[in-house]
Amino acid sequence: MNQQPATVIIQAAEMLECFTGILCSGGFTRERAIACGEIFVSNSIDGVYTHGVNRFPRFVKYVHDGFVKPNAIPERVHAFGGFEQWNGMLGPGTLNAVKATERVMELASEQGIGCVALSNTNHWMRAGNYGWRAAKAGYVFIGWTNTIANMPAWGAIDAKLGNNPLVLALPYHNEAIVLDMAMSQYSLGQMELLALQKERLPFDAGFDAQGSLTNDPAAILATRRLLPTGYWKGSGLALLLDLLSAILSGGKATREISKEKIEYGLSQVFIAIDISLLPNHSSIAQVVEQIIKDFLASVPQDDKNKVSFPGERVLRTRRENSARGIPVQRKVWDIISAIRDGTQDLSSIPYV
């Protein structure tokens, strides 16, 4: 018998049409379904499948079970100067994050710098999405979110910290330089993907049941003992990001989010700076170009691994997937197709 390939190629338009139909059936207006679906597709085109197509079934479950309110609109609750607090009203984290990103750009254009702290929101999927959006519009962008507790503090065995993704971005040519990183050595999504593919991580990323460092993603997912990036440094940074998320937004900290088994009601911070207002604006592009040129001149440790700046590989994957279609794990697309056809039992999809 011929064995089916493990992946299928799905064109972006087909994926968006599928996602839009499912979201409309889940209570989204068509306009919001398209906007939300586009983010999942965009993440997938960029090769971030863990927060794109692979994550979509779980998102549908959250909507179905009432943790994500399809048509809830975020509300501004306080403002002073270039700073605003907003309540996400438990709406889709992706759409709330887009609104917050658009608002900080408006504030930055008015004030030079803008900050929106968002409480009571949901998972924004891929932090980098909002960095790319702002940087391509000409702004420097900084943003982060807290999460449910999924990582121990350095030297501990029980999870008290979120892996609290952070994104920093700035314009570069017609694209951007974008650093998108979790505070764990590898994101949960990346470990889930490699566990699904029965592959190991390139480096140790957590602890197994015996308390030993391992690069086996399945073993790490079982213990939930993720390794903080930079050991104690990542642990400390995760703590500060959580503190600032809760303080600035007036929302929940990881400690409170983790009282529920389901991750929702998160706190996030969005900052934009309009660099066109800087007195050195005319020289910024040249300065960035010189720094990146020097960086890329690094001597690689081997011929197989070229040094690249944050976001460079995303650009390459974006071009490839836009041209040929998006590679999707067949078992993932089968689940999505079953959801579309109404034959998938959503209760069988895990929350995490």
Side-chain angles (χ1 to χ4, degrees):
M1 292 179 63
N2 292 327
Q3 189 174 16
Q4 288 185 319
T7 61
V8 292
I9 301 299
I10 307 297
Q11 298 301 317
E14 179 187 354
M15 184 178 288
L16 179 58
E17 181 181 3
C18 179
F19 288 176
T20 300
I22 290 171
L23 293 175
C24 285
S25 297
F28 283 72
T29 65
R30 181 162 182 80
E31 180 181 9
R32 287 173 65 80
I34 292 173
C36 187
E38 284 176 340
I39 294 174
F40 280 94
V41 174
S42 174
N43 292 348
S44 304
I45 290 174
D46 283 0
V48 191
Y49 313 110
T50 56
H51 292 75
V53 61
N54 289 12
R55 186 87 182 207
F56 187 74
R58 193 183 307 176
F59 177 75
V60 173
K61 179 181 178 68
Y62 270 62
V63 173
H64 178 270
D65 292 351
F67 297 107
V68 174
K69 313 297 182 186
N71 297 307
I73 306 298
E75 297 180 358
R76 186 172 63 182
V77 295
H78 184 68
F80 64 89
F83 176 84
E84 296 182 349
Q85 287 181 331
W86 286 67
N87 184 332
M89 310 300 290
L90 289 181
T94 50
L95 300 186
N96 284 350
V98 168
K99 175 65 178 178
T101 302
E102 291 174 345
R103 182 57 186 151
V104 291
M105 289 191 288
E106 292 172 355
L107 288 169
S109 295
E110 298 166 2
Q111 307 276 351
I113 184 170
C115 179
V116 166
L118 180 63
S119 67
N120 201 32
T121 190
N122 278 299
H123 197 308
W124 61 6
M125 297 303 140
R126 170 198 175 201
N129 187 291
Y130 316 105
W132 283 100
R133 187 179 295 260
K136 289 188 70 172
Y139 299 84
V140 164
F141 180 86
I142 305 169
W144 66 90
T145 180
N146 61 10
T147 72
I148 200 167
N150 55 24
M151 184 174 74
W154 178 248
I157 61 173
D158 57 332
K160 293 291 187 181
L161 298 172
N163 61 348
N164 302 346
L166 168 70
V167 58
L168 297 96
L170 72 154
Y172 182 58
H173 295 171
N174 294 322
E175 292 292 346
I177 298 170
V178 181
L179 175 66
D180 177 0
M181 59 177 289
M183 293 303 107
S184 52
Q185 185 65 38
Y186 289 91
S187 70
L188 276 170
Q190 183 66 16
M191 285 192 272
E192 289 168 349
L193 176 61
L194 291 182
L196 183 68
Q197 297 172 340
K198 301 188 184 307
E199 296 179 14
R200 293 210 166 221
L201 296 153
F203 302 97
D204 289 342
F207 299 88
D208 61 20
Q210 288 71 48
S212 300
L213 277 171
T214 180
N215 66 345
D216 181 352
I220 299 167
L221 291 170
T223 63
R224 282 305 205 229
R225 290 187 61 189
L226 283 65
L227 180 67
T229 183
Y231 306 114
W232 51 89
K233 296 178 182 180
S235 174
L237 185 52
L239 176 62
L240 265 294
L241 291 174
D242 181 39
L243 282 164
L244 290 169
S245 297
I247 291 168
L248 295 177
S249 71
K252 293 180 179 179
T254 289
R255 177 183 65 84
E256 297 163 293
I257 295 166
S258 303
K259 291 178 181 178
E260 304 289 341
K261 293 183 178 181
I262 310 305
E263 184 184 70
Y264 70 106
L266 308 180
S267 302
Q268 298 170 348
V269 179
F270 303 75
I271 300 170
I273 302 170
D274 187 347
I275 57 175
S276 71
L277 301 178
L278 294 173
N280 58 320
H281 174 254
S282 61
S283 65
I284 288 176
Q286 183 180 3
V287 170
V288 173
E289 189 65 40
Q290 290 172 343
I291 293 171
I292 294 301
K293 183 178 180 180
D294 180 66
F295 175 80
L296 294 179
S298 301
V299 179
Q301 66 178 15
D302 58 61
D303 295 334
K304 297 180 180 178
N305 296 303
K306 175 181 175 292
V307 174
S308 58
F309 62 80
E312 189 174 7
R313 294 178 184 175
V314 168
L315 291 171
R316 184 164 55 248
T317 302
R318 184 184 299 168
R319 288 192 294 268
E320 293 172 355
N321 285 352
S322 295
R324 70 181 183 186
I326 302 166
V328 183
Q329 290 285 312
R330 179 176 291 277
K331 60 181 67 176
V332 171
W333 193 248
D334 285 347
I335 291 172
I336 291 171
S337 299
I339 293 173
R340 178 197 59 202
D341 298 338
T343 58
Q344 175 66 45
D345 178 12
L346 292 178
S347 67
S348 67
I349 298 173
Y351 283 117
V352 294

